[in-house]
Amino acid sequence: MKKYILPVMTTFLLVSCNKIEEKIDQTVQETTEKVQQKAQQAVEETVKKTVNESINSLTNSQDAKFNEVFPTTGSTIVTEEKGKRIKIPGRPEGYIFKYKADITVLLPFLEGQPTSDESKSEKKARKIDGKSIVDKLSFMSKFLPENTFDTSFLEDIKNDKSIEYYKLKRFPNSSTIIYNPKNQTIIQYVEVNK
């Protein structure tokens, strides 16, 4: 009987040691995975915060008025106006305006704006296909920090087939105009090339 007790005890000890070793390995592996996951999450949050801060510091935006860029002759052609002046390093100064206006009044007004170089200017606004504009806006909105601009209008212009798009270059200003005929809302981006 003593012959059997020693091998049985040895086997029992080996099995117990193996189970303890497996439990230790499992605990170490679970802890390592949790630490890696938390580290990755911390890195992602830090990168997002840094990118947002960098873009915010690069994008210097301030309130702007439509008549700062397009002086009027006393008659108001835009209502419910909101505007931002944007300066991005390496790009010309730009303005984004959102307002309500009658497009049949607005376009002739913009076409009649003075130009500093007639050879670089267009006399009439061109109606264009808006797909490339929508694509560019969608792409750019992915990189903007949260709450920089209200991008909810993107869904409207993607889905509404009645939206009209225009381009007009009256040097030094180059305008891209998005017009919703249902509510006469206009979003206009003006790039000033000096």
Side-chain angles (χ1 to χ4, degrees):
M1 177 97 169
K2 286 186 177 183
K3 286 197 288 188
Y4 296 115
I5 291 180
L6 187 58
V8 168
M9 288 298 282
T10 306
T11 305
F12 177 73
L13 282 173
L14 282 175
V15 168
S16 294
C17 286
N18 282 342
K19 288 198 182 240
I20 291 171
E21 186 179 345
E22 284 176 15
K23 183 66 175 170
I24 290 172
D25 285 346
Q26 181 183 0
T27 304
V28 167
Q29 186 176 0
E30 287 173 359
T31 305
T32 303
E33 287 173 1
K34 284 180 184 176
V35 168
Q36 286 175 341
Q37 187 178 30
K38 288 198 184 247
Q40 182 178 359
Q41 188 177 21
V43 167
E44 286 174 2
E45 287 174 7
T46 303
V47 166
K48 185 174 182 176
K49 183 179 177 186
T50 304
V51 167
N52 284 346
E53 288 172 358
S54 297
I55 290 175
N56 281 332
S57 68
L58 290 175
T59 307
N60 178 16
S61 69
Q62 52 191 231
D63 290 340
K65 292 285 188 188
F66 182 81
N67 64 2
E68 291 174 24
V69 180
F70 303 105
T72 60
T73 59
S75 63
T76 305
I77 60 171
V78 301
T79 59
E80 299 179 33
E81 167 190 2
K82 293 178 186 171
K84 289 280 185 190
R85 177 179 170 258
I86 301 170
K87 182 65 180 149
I88 300 173
R91 298 281 308 156
E93 180 179 78
Y95 295 86
I96 296 177
F97 296 108
K98 182 177 181 182
Y99 53 87
K100 291 194 180 234
D102 181 352
I103 197 78
T104 60
V105 174
L106 177 71
L107 289 180
F109 169 77
L110 294 174
E111 292 165 348
Q113 287 293 301
T115 175
S116 59
D117 189 344
E118 195 64 49
S119 67
K120 293 182 181 179
S121 299
E122 299 169 333
K123 297 207 183 299
K124 294 283 182 190
R126 296 177 283 127
K127 196 170 188 178
I128 59 170
D129 176 29
K131 183 173 177 1
S132 65
I133 293 171
V134 172
D135 291 345
K136 286 177 188 175
L137 288 172
S138 297
F139 180 74
M140 284 177 21
S141 70
K142 293 176 186 176
F143 297 99
L144 289 175
E146 294 174 16
N147 301 324
T148 303
F149 293 106
D150 177 16
T151 55
S152 61
F153 73 92
L154 275 175
E155 289 306 312
D156 293 339
I157 64 175
K158 282 181 190 177
N159 300 322
D160 191 344
K161 301 300 179 198
S162 70
I163 302 289
E164 298 173 10
Y165 303 88
Y166 297 90
K167 286 283 240 183
L168 175 64
K169 187 172 189 177
R170 295 294 292 161
F171 193 82
N173 298 337
S174 179
S175 292
T176 301
I177 301 162
I178 303 170
Y179 174 64
N180 184 340
K182 292 178 182 172
N183 58 15
Q184 292 191 324
T185 299
I186 295 175
I187 298 169
Q188 180 177 5
Y189 174 68
V190 183
E191 188 173 270
V192 182
N193 297 297
K194 292 184 179 180

